[in-house]
Amino acid sequence: MRIVLGVGGGIAAYKAALLLRLFTEAGHDVTVVPTEASLRFVGVATWEALSGHPVTTTVFDAVETVNHVRLGHEADLVVVAPATADLLAKAATGQAPDLLTNTLLMARGPVVFAPAMHTEMWAHPATQANVALLRSRGAVVMEPGVGRLTGPDSGPGRLREPEEIFAAALAAARQEPAAASETGPAGPLAGRTVVISAGGTREPLDPVRFLGNRSSGKQGAALAETALAAGAQVRFVAAHMDVPPPPGAETTRVETALELRDAMLKAADGADVVIMSAAVADFRPAAASDTKIKKRDDGQDPVIELVRNPDILRELVVRRDEQRRADGALPDSGPLIVGFAAETGDAGSDVLAYGRHKLDRKGCDLLVLNRVGRNLVFGQDSTEVMFLTPGMDPAAPVPTLAGTKAEIAAGIIGRVAAALR
Ligand SMILES: Cc1cc2nc3c(=O)[nH]c(=O)nc-3n(C[C@H](O)[C@H](O)[C@H](O)COP(=O)(O)O)c2cc1C
């Protein structure tokens, strides 16, 4: 069989050499087409020596043979490993700046992409949309593996092992439907139900006034969009928001913390993931007046008595843990629960210490910790968060992610998808 092996500019490019070996030892004739960026990771000499064919990245070499037309027409199979986010985007949008992308446009046989990238890049709605588009056109886009990535981090995004890519490529060449475990039907959260609360609750004082907070709901909306793009069914519980709830989510509107609690307990039933990103008021007025509170003629100012609202995150965790005990269920049955903490720090303690304390009290599986202030986080388009998980080594550096709310959402959904596997 004539195979074109495209190599993208990722750290995993070296693994493509092992894949090339598997193909050649099985008797296939392989032409390697690296991208320019990939040559920073593995050089031309390796590909020419292992494949026995000259190697170039550009359409302007061997112009007399019109290389890309010949390669594309002659290939029985095109395999791209590692397929970077950039390459997937170019392939999905039909861009053709180099030999590999031109060959992909010319190819008439099966095409297999083996993606490799950081979890955030993989879970990003842009990448997920590109993957969905390529799959809808018949390309096989393998689900990446889960494990150690380029740096000290790990999660979904790892290049699948050369033997797995070899098997998927040969199956594609035989026109066999790829196993769902290899391609994933539609993203890392396909078949999962994710419940997300968003926005800020409002606690009425009287028919016209309320106690509220500065939450815009943007982070919750970004989480819902990312979860939808990753293939999940999303139940979205929206308190007051400055942005519309994402289309495609099943939305329940609420106003107060008590309404949010009821909606979340109902929505969490049978869910795989619960993300509490709403800013819930800790206190509410003990009694809301049925009529507008008036200025009094005797000059006395009103005193508002506050009472504590229920701790919804804690209640969700306790209910799940009770169900686990009652059913004798597996220790990781029931939803994975993600909490958010917005801390300012004060003279008594810093933001991280408050975050760790909150994780202990709540018992959730992941706590996303934000430093907040008047002009920090609320309503802003970008932010920085720390990820806290139970049992973390207190001496180890805390994983931190800075970026737009969509990027933070990708980081959270990526971690959730990795934990669910
Ligand atoms: C050390 C290093 C490792 C990288 N690894 C990846 C990767 O695994 N996946 C990815 O999508 N991009 C990765 N990148 C970024 C790509 O190299 C960059 O997006 C490039 O434009 C991709 O080019 P390509 O389209 O030729 O693959 C990495 C960059 C560096 C410097």
Side-chain angles (χ1 to χ4, degrees), residues 86-95 101 104-105 113 130 134 137:
D86 182 55
L87 260 178
L88 291 171
K90 283 180 181 143
T93 52
Q95 294 177 62
T101 45
L104 283 167
L105 286 179
F113 292 93
N130 292 330
L134 288 166
R137 292 188 193 130

Side-chain angles (χ1 to χ4, degrees), residues 248-261:
E250 184 193 316
T251 300
T252 306
R253 291 278 191 180
V254 296
E255 177 143 333
T256 65
L258 292 178
E259 288 170 13
L260 191 121
R261 169 185 172 272

Side-chain angles (χ1 to χ4, degrees), residues 1-5 29-31 33 67-79 103-104 106-111 173 175:
M1 193 162 52
R2 284 192 183 151
I3 299 175
V4 169
L5 174 58
D29 179 44
V30 185
T31 301
V33 184
N67 225 350
H68 60 288
V69 174
R70 185 182 58 79
L71 280 172
H73 277 168
E74 288 179 2
D76 300 303
L77 171 69
V78 180
V79 180
T103 305
L104 283 167
M106 288 302 305
R108 293 294 166 265
V111 178
Q175 307 285 333

Side-chain angles (χ1 to χ4, degrees), residues 189 191-195 235 268-274 334-337 416 420:
L189 290 182
R192 304 286 194 176
T193 300
V194 179
V195 180
R235 298 176 189 158
D269 240 349
D272 299 289
V273 182
V274 176
L336 182 108
I337 301 179
V416 163
L420 283 178

